[in-house]
Amino acid sequence: MTGNYIPISSWAEDDRPREKMLSKGVTALSTNELLAILIRSGSGGESALDLSRRIMTDASNDLNTLARLSVSDFMNRYKGVGMAKAASIIAAMELGRRRALSTAREEPVLTTSRDLYDYLQPLIGDLDHEEFWVVTLSSACRIKSCDRLFSGGIESTIIDIRMIFRKVLESKACSIVIAHNHPSGNDRPSSHDITLTKKVQEAGRVLDITLLDHIVVCPNRYYSFADNGML
């Protein structure tokens, strides 16, 4: 054994999530216990499980909030969490995000704003910067393409309407959905969002391509322009 790794046999009885996983299955573990397995060991008299509980409490027991932390966030906020532990946590969160994305892509028929949100949230819901995406759809509302067109903040980035419809025309889509995320968690559209939506809608009318919705994606909520009578 090297470093500060502590074998399971040395843990207190109630701090052995790995043994519990082996005997009862991974679904029997709490989120704190799963995180403790990634952390492996505590520091300064604090067990890995205690540290996991503290981290999850700080994240309001919300995995979406946890997923937005960076390596430096973990290292600066939690004594005993170095680069290796922080990287393990972030890698695990990314694996979960990719699994959710893979599952969403297995059923690419989108008929409601909730369908759209569930599809888009794994893509952009937990990012710390804004991205703008366009989803092109067939007449049966099956996804033909889904592409990131702009990154770095919608209001600080010039959105080229021509680029949006170039992608749409390439896919020979009947309709489109545009989407962007709000890292702040505030799902209300800005005046810039509203103006952009109107421009895309007007351009689509000229080309006989319907803008079905504009979705503002947040970690735990979303705003649909269509649902709110904005289209």
Side-chain angles (χ1 to χ4, degrees):
M1 305 294 177
T2 60
N4 60 0
Y5 176 78
I6 301 176
I8 293 176
S9 59
S10 299
W11 289 26
E13 188 66 30
D14 61 352
D15 285 349
R16 298 182 182 179
R18 280 172 287 184
E19 288 186 345
K20 182 177 178 181
M21 181 181 72
L22 294 174
S23 63
K24 298 183 180 181
V26 69
T27 57
L29 272 64
S30 67
T31 301
N32 292 326
E33 290 170 327
L34 290 170
L35 185 57
I37 290 176
L38 294 172
I39 291 175
R40 299 194 307 166
S41 61
S43 176
E46 185 178 44
S47 72
L49 191 55
D50 290 336
L51 178 55
S52 298
R53 288 175 180 144
R54 185 156 61 89
I55 292 173
M56 287 306 302
T57 297
D58 289 347
S60 301
N61 292 306
D62 183 358
L63 288 174
N64 289 314
T65 300
L66 186 71
R68 300 174 74 179
L69 298 181
S70 65
V71 169
S72 59
D73 288 333
F74 282 110
M75 293 176 64
N76 292 333
R77 297 178 189 180
Y78 303 104
K79 182 179 179 181
V81 177
M83 184 177 295
K85 292 179 181 179
S88 293
I89 297 169
I90 290 173
M93 300 302 295
E94 177 62 15
L95 283 173
R97 187 191 72 85
R98 294 186 186 187
R99 182 185 180 191
L101 177 58
S102 176
T103 300
R105 284 180 170 168
E106 290 173 1
E107 301 177 353
V109 179
L110 309 179
T111 57
T112 68
S113 63
R114 183 70 201 194
D115 292 338
L116 290 163
Y117 173 73
D118 289 342
Y119 182 83
L120 291 162
Q121 201 283 335
L123 286 169
I124 58 176
D126 297 320
L127 298 179
D128 60 2
H129 61 279
E130 284 192 25
E131 292 189 351
F132 180 91
W133 288 62
V134 59
V135 181
T136 63
L137 302 168
S138 69
S139 58
C141 289
R142 290 188 176 275
I143 292 178
K144 296 175 71 68
S145 67
C146 181
D147 298 282
R148 177 181 59 195
L149 296 188
F150 308 101
S151 179
I154 302 305
E155 294 193 20
S156 62
T157 302
I158 298 175
I159 304 297
D160 190 335
I161 302 297
R162 293 169 298 179
M163 186 178 293
I164 294 174
F165 282 96
R166 177 183 177 183
K167 179 64 64 177
V168 175
L169 293 170
E170 286 175 354
S171 69
K172 298 180 180 179
C174 298
S175 58
I176 64 169
V177 171
I178 57 175
H180 74 282
N181 61 311
H182 280 180
S184 66
N186 179 4
D187 62 351
R188 304 301 297 181
S190 68
S191 59
H192 188 277
D193 298 337
I194 295 170
T195 300
L196 172 63
T197 304
K198 291 179 179 178
K199 287 183 178 180
V200 174
Q201 186 179 36
E202 290 170 1
R205 284 176 181 150
V206 173
L207 297 170
D208 198 24
I209 296 170
T210 303
L211 175 62
L212 294 178
D213 209 342
H214 183 176
I215 302 291
V216 180
V217 179
C218 296
N220 299 306
R221 62 178 63 88
Y222 68 96
Y223 183 93
S224 161
F225 275 67
D227 289 354
N228 286 277
M230 300 284 283
L231 288 176

